[in-house]
């Protein structure tokens, strides 16, 4: 029997893993999103309103939240096709801030006061979402589709010459990524049983990207490892007291310098195999 | 057998709290409490002074022979004002540290997420600062707050404000990103103003800004153009400072009224000539024997602590923290707790029941009770901050039903 | 009131321009979003204002702040940028973010999380022009914003450092073949960017009379929007976009409500990225360089 504290951390890791996978999938086509907290917010608010006000069962509500977030991802994905790299990052950052500002002024969901009334999910329920999704992404990574995504990332022109529909691939990645973030949001809402616009700020978006970059984006285990590391770091650094956040920043820099490809990559996994 | 002997011992303690009797009772045992404070992040100052205050109380209690002979030990954790961390800390304190009760968390956002966890764990959590309406009431029976609802405070302070500054017209500005300030600025204040016959000039288009804004010149210019007799500033002090500075810069010197989060020495330094009216349950410079003893003991400790400014003064939330530990101590002594590890669950329930019916407990400025909403019934003061210091004007009590100070 | 609001908007615009310059220099030349600039701005403010509270004149405060944040800029470059020069641009973005977190904690631990308040008398003079009232600090902020932009544009055009930077912006390898000491010039860009952020911090702290360790966060995001709208490759762009966004923000607040403010500012940023990625004054093709 694990203590509820460990259970709490495990639940958070589960939710953060799905959130990190949402960035991972979008990154597979070489698109960097600094606005995924917006999709998470969208999933969280949609699912919560459905369960609280319409009595929809939680799994169905979360699925609907994922669809709504996915559609929003598709809508945002279209203009995003025009942008790359740091410019796309800045545009999605702006989108994230606008979405947060939208929920802040939306009285129907409580505005700044937040929204509550949800039922709490169990740790098992959260991982019942997280594990299959992780397996799904791992399987997808072995498919030709993923090769196509990476081809777009590596050289879009060449990918187009090969006959790949780069527009569809990029939009698809954005949509799936947004839907994953929506699921993470729905789970977040039904784990903390209280949500507010401040929970989906730029820090949250950055956390998702950090999980991917620190964990490693060559294989889906990387983002999951990164999410776990980010959830545990603040707890592990408690002994530094007042300098806790600074230590976190320093650790971030050191890891980026030592392993710019992320902590987990295929070579490391091969080396670990007996 | 043991039960009857315990109740025999408890009876005189209940009547007179005679130290001689209670000292022997828990000799060699330990009272373990938990505290959740934001020692890093934007509210670091509050969290760090909270920590010093808690350590001081711990030291004083143990130097005085402990709680009925039992040693007091407080496990203090930093939640960085992050709701998720606060929730996990409640779990940690409940399961790993096996504490009797928790003091904190500080921010309303953290309370919204942490209180339900406390309810689930069947563990008392009492916030030292949260004053967002209804946060404890939504998480009964285990959630408490040693704070008073802003609406209750305004019933005393607003009529006084109106009288003293001949306020006929007023305008509101609030922090739209902070749930507390939104409730106060957009809901409570407009209602109370109507009740008191003060005309609200910007009704329907209340001025707002966001936490973290450094520039509120546009809002202040618009407010100034309305030419009200006074202004409502619903924001916590670090944000209100920005508004006060801008008012001063634009020569808009009008009396200001706001909620308890305005109480801070920073407000006094922002615009000394602008009178700022608010309510406090404690303020640095407050008179009274018990309260001065607290201030005089805590202030030098705060100023000697690394990471805190050398001019720092105890905050209202330090006083609340000390009182929360005091109430828990009172429950241990008079609530029939056994302090045996095997009885942890029933001890937590007894502590909760004791708080719910708390009576005869003296806080720093008077008795404290808890309403069924989980919020405190206690003494408060309407104070004016002007020319560098707070002055007490009216003394009130957050009377609730038959509960009063 | 409209005129007064215009003055408010222009002042806010000048504030954004000052911070945006720090972002723009590094972004325009190296294509790197140095997030630590927002915290260098904050630290510069603390260093300068602490000295002024100690009785030092404004120029000493400005000089010390510029020196301090300029040096920190080089530290950021050496640790967070140079080793990650060939990594995808997200890596240096996140490593500079690491510095942001460190700087915020340092400021919290040294100066506290409560606002640092200046005595109200500092630079308190006001001038009344008809119905409009302007403060001394306000004028200094605006004048410095214009001065720094002009100065930087001159440096970029007429000094060896400037031509070197522009050469690196075009092509680092070719620039080195032409004899540009690339590492030195790159460090110079980070130093200059840091120093300008520091100066901005002192002046803006002086104008608003209060500082917190978290002041850089919101202002920094707005400054990024200003940089994008003005054009990341154009120094002059921030001088146009700063006041534009400042006035737009103030007018939205005054006549529409603060709820729409962030929508307007970031909406304009996104529209710029989509419709004119090079920004108002940038060269076409600039947005491709990543």
């Amino acid at each position: 029997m694990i203590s509820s504290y460990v259970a709490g951390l495990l639940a958070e890791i589960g939710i953060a893993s799905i959130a990190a996978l949402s960035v991972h999938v979008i990154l597979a086509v070489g698109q960097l999103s600094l606005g995924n907290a917006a999709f998470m917010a969208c999933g969280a608010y949609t699912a919560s309103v459905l369960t609280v006000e319409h009595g929809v069962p939680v799994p169905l509500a979360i699925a609907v939240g994922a669809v709504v977030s996915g559609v929003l991802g598709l809508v945002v994905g279209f203009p995003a096709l025009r942008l790359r790299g740091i410019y796309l990052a800045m545009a999605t950052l702006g989108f994230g801030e606008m979405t947060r500002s939208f929920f802040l002024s939306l009285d129907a969901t409580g505005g700044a006061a937040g929204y509550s009334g949800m039922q709490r999910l169990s740790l098992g329920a959260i991982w019942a979402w997280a594990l299959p999704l992780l397996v799904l992404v791992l399987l997808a990574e072995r498919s030709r589709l993923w090769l196509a995504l990476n081809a777009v990332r590596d050289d879009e022109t060449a990918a187009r010459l090969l006959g790949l529909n780069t527009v569809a691939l990029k939009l698809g990645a954005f949509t799936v990524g947004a839907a994953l973030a929506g699921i993470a949001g729905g789970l977040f809402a039904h784990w903390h049983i209280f949500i507010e616009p401040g929970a989906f700020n730029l820090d949250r978006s950055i956390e998702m990207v950090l999980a991917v970059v620190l964990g490693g984006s060559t294989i889906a285990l990387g983002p999951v490892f990164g999410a776990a590391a980010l959830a545990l770091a603040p707890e592990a650094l408690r002994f530094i007291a007042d300098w806790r956040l600074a230590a976190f920043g320093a650790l971030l820099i050191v890891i980026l310098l030592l392993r710019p490809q992320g902590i987990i990559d295929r070579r490391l996994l091969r080396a670990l195999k007996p | 057998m043991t039960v009857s002997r315990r109740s025999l011992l408890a009876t005189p303690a209940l009547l007179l709290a005679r130290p001689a009797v209670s000292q022997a009772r828990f000799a060699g045992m330990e009272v373990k409490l938990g505290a959740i404070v934001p020692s890093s992040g934007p509210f670091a100052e509050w969290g760090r002074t909270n920590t010093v205050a808690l350590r001081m109380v711990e030291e004083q209690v143990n130097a005085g022979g402990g709680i009925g002979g039992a040693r007091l030990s407080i496990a203090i954790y930093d939640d960085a004002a992050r709701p998720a961390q606060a929730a996990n800390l409640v779990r940690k304190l409940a399961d790993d540290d096996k504490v009797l009760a928790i003091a904190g968390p500080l921010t309303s956002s953290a309370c919204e997420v942490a209180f339900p966890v406390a309810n689930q764990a069947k563990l008392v959590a009492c916030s030292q600062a949260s004053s967002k309406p209804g946060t404890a009431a939504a998480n009964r029976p285990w959630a408490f707050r040693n704070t008073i609802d802003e609406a209750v405070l305004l019933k005393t302070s607003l009529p006084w404000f109106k009288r003293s500054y001949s306020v006929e017209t007023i305008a509101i500005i609030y922090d739209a990103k902070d749930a507390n300030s939104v409730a106060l600025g957009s809901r409570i204040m407009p209602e109370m103003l109507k009740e008191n016959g003060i005309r609200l000039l910007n009704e329907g288009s209340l001025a707002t800004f966001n936490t973290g804004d450094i520039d509120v010149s546009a809002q202040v210019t618009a407010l100034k153009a309305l030419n009200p007799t006074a202004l409502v500033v619903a924001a916590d002090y670090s944000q209100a400072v920005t508004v006060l500075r801008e008012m001063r810069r634009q020569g808009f010197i009008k009396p200001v009224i706001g909620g308890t989060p305005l109480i801070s020495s920073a407000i006094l330094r922002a615009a000394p000539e602008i009178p700022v009216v608010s309510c406090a349950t404690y303020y640095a410079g407050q008179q009274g024997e018990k309260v001065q003893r607290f201030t005089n003991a805590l202030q030098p400790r705060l100023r000697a602590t690394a990471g805190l400014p050398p001019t720092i003064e105890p905050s209202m939330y330090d006083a609340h923290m000390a009182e929360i530990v005091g109430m828990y101590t009172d429950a241990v002594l008079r609530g029939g707790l056994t302090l045996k590890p095997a009885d942890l669950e029933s001890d937590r329930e007894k502590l909760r029941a004791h708080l719910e019916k708390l009576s005869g407990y003296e806080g720093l400025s008077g008795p404290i009770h808890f309403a069924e909403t989980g919020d405190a019934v206690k003494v408060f003061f309407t104070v004016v901050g002007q020319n560098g210091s707070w002055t007490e004007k009216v003394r009130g009590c957050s009377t609730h039903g038959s509960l009063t100070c | 009131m409209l005129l007064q609001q215009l003055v408010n908007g222009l002042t806010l615009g000048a504030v954004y321009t000052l911070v945006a310059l720090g972002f723009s220099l590094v972004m325009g030349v190296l294509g790197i979003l140095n997030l630590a600039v927002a915290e260098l701005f904050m630290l510069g403010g603390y260093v300068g204002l602490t000295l002024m509270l100690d009785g030092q004149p404004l120029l000493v405060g400005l000089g010390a702040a510029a020196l301090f944040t300029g040096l920190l800029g080089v530290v950021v470059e050496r640790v967070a940028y140079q080793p990650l020069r060939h990594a995808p641009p997200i890596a240096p973005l996140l490593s500079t973010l690491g510095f942001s977190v460190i700087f915020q904690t340092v400021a919290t631990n040294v100066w506290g999380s409560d606002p640092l308040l200046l005595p109200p008398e500092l630079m308190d003079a006001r001038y009344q022009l008809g119905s409009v009232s302007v403060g001394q600090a306000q004028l200094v902020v605006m004048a410095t914003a214009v001065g720094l932009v002009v100065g930087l544009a001159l440096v970029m055009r007429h000094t060896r450092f400037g031509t070197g930077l522009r050469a690196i912006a075009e092509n680092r390898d070719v620039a080195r073949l032409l004899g540009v000491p690339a590492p030195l010039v790159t460090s110079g860009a980070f130093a200059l960017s840091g120093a300008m952020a520091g100066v901005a911090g002192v002046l803006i702290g002086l104008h608003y009379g209060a500082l917190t360790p978290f002041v850089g966060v919101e202002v920094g995001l707005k400054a990024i929007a200003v940089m994008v709208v003005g054009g990341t490759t154009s120094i002059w762009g921030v001088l146009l976009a700063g006041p534009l966004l400042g006035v737009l923000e103030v007018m939205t607040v005054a006549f529409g409500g603060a709820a729409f403010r962030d929508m307007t500012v970031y909406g304009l940023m996104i529209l710029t990225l989509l419709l004119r990625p090079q920004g108002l004054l940038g060269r076409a093709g600039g947005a491709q360089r990543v």
Side-chain angles (χ1 to χ4, degrees):
Chain A
M1 186 58 193
I2 53 172
S3 89
S4 66
Y5 170 58
V6 177
L9 288 175
L10 286 176
E12 253 182 67
I13 292 171
I15 296 166
S17 296
I18 301 174
L21 286 178
S22 80
V23 171
H24 177 61
V25 170
I26 298 177
L27 206 59
V29 285
Q31 290 179 308
L32 175 69
S33 168
L34 273 179
N36 272 25
F39 301 125
M40 202 171 157
C42 181
Y45 276 101
T46 308
S48 303
V49 168
L50 285 176
T51 57
V52 173
E53 283 165 39
H54 303 282
V56 177
V58 178
L60 182 64
I62 291 176
V64 174
V67 171
V68 173
S69 298
V71 171
L72 183 67
L74 189 64
V75 172
V76 174
F78 261 109
L81 288 171
R82 296 175 60 105
L83 300 169
R84 303 187 56 203
I86 205 82
Y87 291 88
L88 176 63
M90 288 190 291
T92 47
L93 182 155
F95 163 70
E97 287 297 290
M98 284 173 77
T99 310
R100 191 179 51 76
S101 176
F102 167 77
F103 281 112
L104 202 56
S105 54
L106 188 69
D107 286 333
T109 51
Y115 192 79
S116 60
M118 293 76 89
Q119 293 294 315
R120 195 190 298 278
L121 285 173
S122 67
L123 171 63
I126 283 167
W127 278 94
W129 282 90
L131 266 185
L133 288 173
L134 173 62
V135 171
L136 217 62
V137 177
L138 278 171
L139 285 178
E141 281 178 343
R142 295 168 170 267
S143 69
R144 290 184 57 85
L145 180 67
W146 200 270
L147 279 178
L149 292 176
N150 285 348
V152 176
R153 179 194 62 196
D154 295 338
D155 192 335
E156 208 176 326
T157 322
R160 209 176 301 130
L161 288 174
L162 281 172
L164 293 173
N165 186 343
T166 56
V167 170
L169 286 169
K170 284 172 118 178
L171 282 179
F174 226 95
T175 308
V176 172
L180 281 171
I183 295 176
L187 292 171
F188 178 91
H190 289 83
W191 169 251
H192 288 299
I193 63 172
F194 171 78
I195 47 174
E196 57 185 339
F200 307 103
N201 56 9
L202 179 60
D203 286 357
R204 177 81 57 192
S205 292
I206 287 178
E207 231 171 71
M208 297 183 201
V209 174
L210 266 183
V212 178
V213 173
L214 289 183
S217 57
T218 51
I219 175 166
L221 290 178
V224 173
F225 180 85
L230 284 181
L232 297 177
E235 299 299 314
L237 292 172
R238 282 200 179 282
F239 68 98
I240 313 181
D242 290 354
W243 292 94
R244 187 159 70 120
L245 295 178
F248 175 77
L251 209 58
L252 167 64
I253 296 171
V254 168
I255 293 174
L256 281 168
L257 292 180
L258 294 181
R259 286 190 77 81
Q261 79 278 33
I263 296 171
I264 307 278
D265 61 0
R266 289 187 194 277
R267 254 178 71 194
L268 181 78
L269 288 179
R270 268 199 299 278
L272 287 176
K273 269 193 190 135
Chain B
M1 183 60 196
T2 42
V3 175
S4 64
R5 200 175 61 206
R6 196 167 56 243
S7 56
L8 273 177
L9 285 172
T11 315
L14 190 90
L15 292 174
L16 283 166
R18 287 170 64 107
V21 179
S22 49
Q23 232 151 39
R25 208 167 68 180
F26 298 130
M29 302 180 100
E30 187 185 50
V31 172
K32 191 146 194 200
L33 299 177
I36 301 174
V37 300
S39 299
S40 45
F43 302 104
E45 214 125 294
W46 280 342
R48 288 174 189 184
T49 60
N50 271 183
T51 305
V52 178
L54 286 167
R55 289 285 171 242
M56 179 185 88
V57 172
E58 189 182 52
E59 208 174 285
Q60 286 173 345
V61 167
N62 288 331
I67 305 171
R71 222 179 64 81
L72 171 65
S73 110
I74 308 176
I76 307 173
Y77 291 112
D78 165 28
D79 69 354
R82 301 270 177 103
Q85 286 193 27
N88 270 333
L89 288 171
V90 172
R91 297 188 179 99
K92 187 181 174 74
L93 288 164
D95 268 23
D96 298 5
D97 294 319
K98 306 200 183 311
V99 299
L100 268 180
I102 296 174
L106 186 141
T107 63
S108 290
S109 290
C111 287
E112 289 279 9
V113 174
F115 278 170
V117 178
N119 255 337
Q120 201 176 32
K122 299 195 186 313
L123 178 67
V124 165
C126 181
S127 175
Q128 67 272 41
S130 157
S131 58
K132 177 179 165 188
T135 302
N139 294 289
R140 301 296 298 157
W142 295 89
F144 293 86
R145 299 191 298 185
N146 188 16
T147 54
I148 306 171
D149 197 307
E150 297 289 350
V152 176
L153 299 172
L154 280 175
K155 280 193 186 113
T156 304
S157 58
L158 199 55
W160 180 85
F161 183 66
K162 183 186 174 186
R163 241 186 0 261
S164 309
Y165 297 97
S166 319
V167 180
E168 281 163 12
T169 57
I170 206 163
I172 294 181
I173 179 168
Y174 67 91
D175 183 345
K177 214 167 159 181
D178 172 49
N180 256 343
S181 309
V182 173
L184 180 63
S186 70
R187 239 188 37 239
I188 301 173
M189 264 301 180
E191 273 171 36
M192 300 294 294
L193 290 171
K194 203 168 284 169
E195 251 171 60
N196 284 279
I198 301 172
R199 199 153 66 85
L200 178 56
L201 295 180
N202 60 348
E203 195 169 5
S205 63
L206 303 179
T208 62
F209 62 98
N210 283 346
T211 314
D213 281 359
I214 56 168
D215 190 298
V216 290
S217 57
Q219 291 92 328
V220 171
T221 300
L223 292 171
K224 191 183 173 193
L226 294 171
N227 195 26
T229 3
L231 193 67
V232 173
V233 179
D236 84 45
Y237 71 95
S238 57
Q239 304 302 316
V241 159
T242 317
V243 179
L244 290 172
R245 273 282 153 110
E246 187 62 39
M247 288 173 66
R248 191 175 176 279
R249 190 173 309 116
Q250 298 195 16
F252 181 39
I253 311 294
K254 292 287 156 82
V256 164
I257 188 166
T260 46
L262 285 186
I263 302 292
S264 156
S265 42
I267 288 286
L268 298 174
R269 280 176 283 135
E273 66 270 48
I274 297 179
V276 178
V277 174
S278 178
C279 286
T281 46
Y282 166 89
Y283 58 94
Q286 187 185 330
Q287 300 297 304
E289 194 213 324
K290 199 170 179 179
V291 83
Q292 277 171 306
R293 210 175 336 129
F294 171 78
T295 309
N296 294 339
L298 184 56
Q299 197 188 57
R301 281 173 192 252
L302 292 178
R303 294 189 174 177
T305 303
L308 287 173
T311 53
I312 190 134
E313 285 176 350
S315 81
M316 189 156 73
Y317 308 130
D318 297 330
H320 290 176
M321 265 301 194
E323 286 175 338
I324 292 170
V325 174
M327 289 187 260
Y328 292 166
T329 305
D330 187 65
V332 170
L333 285 174
R334 303 196 296 141
L337 282 70
T338 67
L339 295 189
K340 289 180 186 151
D343 293 340
L344 182 62
E345 223 167 285
S346 63
D347 273 356
R348 284 175 177 171
E349 166 56 30
K350 282 175 189 162
L351 188 142
R352 189 197 65 74
H354 184 82
L355 282 198
E356 201 164 56
K357 300 255 172 288
L358 190 66
S359 73
Y361 174 75
E362 281 288 318
L364 286 174
S365 327
I368 300 178
H369 312 280
F370 284 102
E372 76 276 356
T373 56
D375 290 347
V377 175
K378 63 194 291 194
V379 174
F380 65 85
F381 318 96
T382 299
V383 292
V384 183
Q386 198 172 7
N387 301 323
S389 68
W390 296 104
T391 327
E392 189 177 318
K393 294 298 179 187
V394 194
R395 205 179 158 95
C397 173
S398 57
T399 306
H400 185 94
S402 61
L403 296 173
T404 190
C405 305
Chain C
M1 188 172 94
L2 194 65
L3 267 179
Q4 183 66 51
Q5 292 293 27
L6 197 65
V7 172
N8 292 339
L10 289 175
T11 314
L12 184 59
V15 166
Y16 290 159
T17 299
L18 279 173
V19 185
L21 265 181
F23 281 109
S24 184
L25 184 60
V26 175
M27 178 76 187
V29 175
L30 305 162
I32 293 301
L33 193 54
N34 176 10
L35 288 178
V37 164
E39 272 61 41
L40 291 179
F41 153 75
M42 175 271 295
L43 281 179
Y46 269 110
V47 168
L49 296 188
T50 307
L51 284 172
M52 290 180 70
L53 282 174
D54 227 36
Q56 302 291 333
L58 174 64
L59 281 179
V60 173
L62 282 175
L67 195 68
F68 182 68
T69 53
L71 279 174
L72 280 183
V74 177
V75 171
V76 171
E77 186 249 356
R78 285 291 141 116
V79 177
Y81 169 68
Q82 274 303 341
L84 295 169
R85 202 150 48 80
H86 300 294
I90 184 65
L93 178 97
L94 292 177
S95 60
T96 56
L97 177 79
F99 270 106
S100 283
V101 177
I102 295 175
F103 291 157
Q104 275 177 14
T105 315
V106 168
T108 307
N109 288 354
V110 174
W111 288 282
S113 64
D114 262 12
L116 175 79
L117 287 172
L118 290 188
E121 311 80 51
L122 220 55
M123 285 188 97
D124 205 27
R126 296 200 67 84
Y127 312 101
Q128 198 72 31
L129 308 157
S131 66
V132 177
S133 153
V134 188
Q136 192 183 356
Q138 225 162 343
L139 291 174
V140 172
V141 166
M142 287 195 266
T144 314
V146 176
L148 276 185
V149 171
V150 174
L152 189 61
L154 288 176
V155 165
M156 290 299 274
R157 185 125 321 258
H158 297 295
T159 64
R160 281 196 54 195
F161 170 69
T163 44
L165 263 182
R166 284 188 293 139
I168 292 174
E170 292 301 332
N171 187 322
R172 191 183 173 94
D173 296 327
V174 173
R176 292 185 66 170
L177 282 176
L178 292 173
V180 175
L184 200 67
V185 173
T186 312
S187 295
F190 271 85
L192 195 56
S193 144
M196 285 191 303
V199 168
V202 180
L203 292 178
I204 293 168
L206 207 58
H207 169 48
Y208 293 109
L211 267 182
T212 74
F214 307 95
V215 71
V217 182
E218 294 280 329
V219 182
L221 285 180
K222 293 277 170 60
I224 290 175
V226 164
M227 173 186 73
V228 169
V229 172
T232 50
T233 53
S234 161
I235 303 285
W236 295 101
V238 294
L239 191 57
L240 178 66
L244 180 71
L245 262 75
V247 171
L248 188 69
E249 183 175 329
V250 161
M251 291 305 169
T252 321
V253 168
F255 301 106
F260 303 103
R261 188 194 58 181
D262 288 357
M263 300 258 188
T264 327
V265 173
Y266 294 113
L268 188 66
M269 171 173 106
I270 293 176
L271 274 183
T272 308
L273 281 168
L274 293 177
L275 302 179
R276 198 178 156 80
Q278 73 271 34
L280 292 178
L281 294 185
R283 288 168 313 177
Q288 294 305 314
R289 190 185 53 235
V290 175

